[in-house]
Each structure stands twice: as structure tokens, then as C-alpha cells.
Amino acid sequence: MPKAPAEEIEIAGHQVRLTSPDKIMFPERGYTKRDVFEYYRAVGDGIMRALRNRPTTLQRFPDGIGGEAFFQKRIPQRGVPEWVRTAQITFPSKRTAVELCPADLAHVAWAAQMGTVVFHPWPVRGDAPDNPDELRIDLDPQPGMSFADVVSTAGVLREVLDELGWGGFPKTSGGRGAHVYVRIEPRWSFVDVRRAAIALAREAERRRPELITTAWWKEERGDRVFLDFNQMARDRTITCAYSLRANERATASAPVTWDELPDVEPDDFDLRSLPKRFAEVGDPHAAIDDVAHDLAPLLEWVERDEKNGLGDMPYPPDHPKMPGEPPRVQPSKMNHANWTSEG
């Protein structure tokens, strides 16, 4: 069968080249590179709300999801259109990188042309890369937990956010979990925002300790939903709203309303169904940028917790040791020597 010719497509005022449009990207479903490309065009307004001006790591699958994949944290050295915008980010190691920073839908289409399936934006904007403007709460069900347990956990978070007077925006993860996003003023550091995420998670845990856990070590989590506060650590990213996931079903991370959340299943939303839903109901996250909240109430909770003996939590293993961080030793292996050497 002859190879389909390359095409030049105008998107957001730019010419985007689509090569090998018939290349299979999702073998189980038979979805091609053109299907992925057109999917992102169809949910354009939604994914741009999630990506606009955010430094973004690309999860690329040049030979489809059955082939090798890699995370691209640096813009390619060659073949980049002159209109592509970038932003410099700083890793915990203090090294820097220049990442794609989508200014319009052409940037998303260009990434899809390069085999990008999954988009992982930082919780910052390119003009303030050290100050998160998005508080992300990751609901991670432990083995044996159901999506109904995730929904119940999200309901507790909604209750806490409502009491703060904050607007939270839920979405499916495209896998077994869910995410809740809150816009915040970009005035605080990653360290501050992560501590605020810990305080919020602890408050939810207090209300339903049999359902919710903040335990970093898996051996302590049990059959509960883990609120992963370390997703707010520098260089940690979450699959954005409307991004596809690299699984055989081609599911997508789908924004939903709070009222819808109890009635959905993660597999409801995929490359075919989500564009149809978007055309029919629009974007449930359309108002996410309307209000940016003051983080001060959560930082007050941080101080309250510290007075009650609840300080910082361990950072991810690839993160430099941080001031005030407890030992990165799982509790079953903890002893006095661990504590005095690391604490």
C-alpha cells in the first residue's frame, strides 16, 4: 500500500505539516496519527485552556504506543518552526531546560505530528516558571480500590474546598484515578504550594481516615485512596485535561462537573467519544481561569499542623534533600541511625 503523502494544514494562522498520517498509533483500536492529530484539533479550545503558556513535557511515541517512548523535556535542536514558543524551566538539580510552551493550537498539532500522545504541562506559566498558579490534587486509588472510592474521596475534597470558598475542577485521569485542580495566585514557591497541598490532603484525611490517606510509603497506605501531594513538587507533572493516555483503549483525561462525577467511568472518555461530548456540552472547565485563590488559608493550616507535630513529608526519591524533610526511609526500616543521619 503506498504511503500517504504529507499534508500542510493551517491551524491558528500557522502552517503545520502532517507526515505519515496513516501510521498506526493505537494498534488495538487501529487509530492513526491523523486520528490523534484530528482529535486534538477537535478538543482544541479545551486542551488550550489546560496548556496555554505552560511549559510542557511531551510523551512521544514515534512508532505508536506499541513502540519505544520517551519524555521530551527539551525542545528539539532542529526542525522547529520559527513560530514555536518556548519557556525555560529549572529542575530541582538547578539544571535548566527550554520546553515547548504552547501559545495556540498549532503548537499542540505540531507536537502531535512528532508522535506526541500525552501532554504533561507544568503547573506554572512561562512568564513565571517558579510560581505555580495551579494547585493539583491527585487521587490515586491503591490496589483493590474502585473508581467509586475515588469519587467518594473527591466528594470530601469538594466539601473542604467549599468551606474555603474555593472553586475546584475535577477530571478523570484517563486511568483509575482522578484529579482536582484549583487556580491560585502565582505568588508562592513550589515549596509553599506543596506544603499547602499536604495541608489540604491532611484535612481531607482527617474527615475520612478509613478512606483517604496521605501516607507517602506504600506499606502504610492500606486499602485507601492516596492524595499524592508530591505532584506539586518541582518537575512533577500530571497529564492535562483532554490529553490522551498511552493505553490500548486510547482513553483521555476528561473534565467533568462535580454533579457528573459520580455517574461516569474512566473508560467513558476516549479518542472517539470525548470530541463528541466536547461538541455537545462544551468544556466543564471553562470557568477555571475566572478566579485565582489566595493560598493563605492553607498556609495557616500548615502552621497549625506543625504546632501539632505534623511537619513536612518526604519528597520524591529523585529530588534533592530538602530542609526540614523527614528521612526518606520507609517506616519498617527506620531506626535511630536513619533518623540522626537524615533528620
Side-chain angles (χ1 to χ4, degrees):
M1 180 180 238
K3 184 177 179 180
E7 302 174 28
E8 293 282 343
I9 302 168
E10 183 173 336
I11 302 174
H14 304 295
Q15 292 296 316
V16 181
R17 186 174 176 81
L18 176 62
T19 62
S20 303
D22 294 337
K23 178 185 289 185
I24 298 296
M25 298 297 289
F26 290 89
E28 182 76 15
R29 297 293 176 89
Y31 297 152
T32 65
K33 187 198 274 193
R34 183 192 300 278
D35 291 325
V36 173
F37 190 92
E38 293 300 335
Y39 165 83
Y40 282 121
R41 293 182 70 187
V43 297
D45 287 347
I47 197 165
M48 282 311 303
R49 189 169 286 109
L51 291 178
R52 190 178 305 279
N53 299 330
R54 295 192 184 279
T56 301
T57 299
L58 308 177
Q59 190 175 358
R60 293 176 58 187
F61 296 81
D63 297 312
I65 67 165
E68 293 187 8
F70 64 96
F71 289 88
Q72 180 141 22
K73 295 189 176 185
R74 290 176 170 81
I75 202 78
Q77 295 295 310
R78 294 179 296 177
V80 180
E82 62 180 12
W83 46 262
V84 166
R85 294 190 188 179
T86 60
Q88 180 172 290
I89 47 89
T90 302
F91 299 117
S93 65
K94 306 302 183 185
R95 293 182 298 109
T96 60
V98 175
E99 286 201 326
L100 181 70
C101 192
D104 53 43
L105 189 57
H107 290 69
V108 178
W110 175 72
Q113 148 63 20
M114 294 195 302
T116 299
V117 171
V118 189
F119 291 84
H120 299 267
W122 282 51
V124 301
R125 306 288 182 173
D127 58 357
D130 298 316
N131 303 105
D133 73 332
E134 191 165 69
L135 179 64
R136 299 171 174 176
I137 305 114
D138 181 17
L139 288 65
D140 181 11
Q142 298 306 286
M145 302 298 284
S146 68
F147 191 70
D149 296 314
V150 172
V151 171
S152 296
T153 300
V156 178
L157 284 169
R158 183 185 186 185
E159 175 185 290
V160 176
L161 293 173
D162 283 349
E163 291 174 12
L164 287 167
W166 289 12
F169 292 82
K171 67 183 184 73
T172 67
S173 68
R176 297 179 59 244
H179 306 138
V180 177
Y181 284 10
V182 179
R183 284 288 187 268
I184 58 173
E185 297 172 358
R187 299 198 286 122
W188 293 274
S189 68
F190 274 96
V191 171
D192 289 335
V193 177
R194 176 181 169 277
R195 289 301 303 273
I198 292 173
L200 178 62
R202 281 173 168 159
E203 180 61 27
E205 181 182 36
R206 287 186 192 99
R207 300 184 184 204
R208 291 289 304 277
E210 83 290 353
L211 173 67
I212 300 170
T213 181
T214 59
W216 175 244
W217 302 106
K218 291 183 179 180
E219 66 184 32
E220 294 187 318
R221 293 178 189 170
D223 295 331
R224 292 179 288 181
V225 177
F226 172 49
L227 298 184
D228 189 356
F229 50 84
N230 269 333
Q231 292 294 354
M232 287 311 307
R234 183 185 288 270
D235 194 29
R236 289 284 165 150
T237 57
I238 293 178
T239 301
C240 75
Y242 296 101
S243 176
L244 294 169
R245 301 303 302 266
N247 57 47
E248 62 182 21
R249 304 179 310 282
T251 60
S253 180
V256 294
T257 66
W258 285 112
D259 291 340
E260 286 179 309
L261 187 59
D263 299 321
V264 304
E265 292 290 339
D267 285 353
D268 290 344
F269 309 108
D270 60 23
L271 182 147
R272 291 294 187 221
S273 65
L274 195 50
K276 294 177 183 176
R277 168 182 162 85
F278 189 79
E280 292 171 359
V281 306
D283 184 7
H285 285 193
I288 195 170
D289 291 314
D290 289 357
V291 178
H293 298 288
D294 185 340
L295 203 62
L298 290 189
L299 296 178
E300 291 174 1
W301 291 3
V302 171
E303 294 180 2
R304 175 198 65 187
D305 288 346
E306 288 182 337
K307 289 177 181 177
N308 291 321
L310 296 173
D312 203 353
M313 301 280 272
Y315 273 78
D318 56 352
H319 205 285
K321 186 69 178 175
M322 298 295 287
E325 180 189 358
R328 293 184 197 173
V329 180
Q330 62 192 73
S332 62
K333 297 181 179 180
M334 178 63 70
N335 57 42
H336 181 71
N338 296 141
W339 188 265
T340 55
S341 64
E342 295 198 35

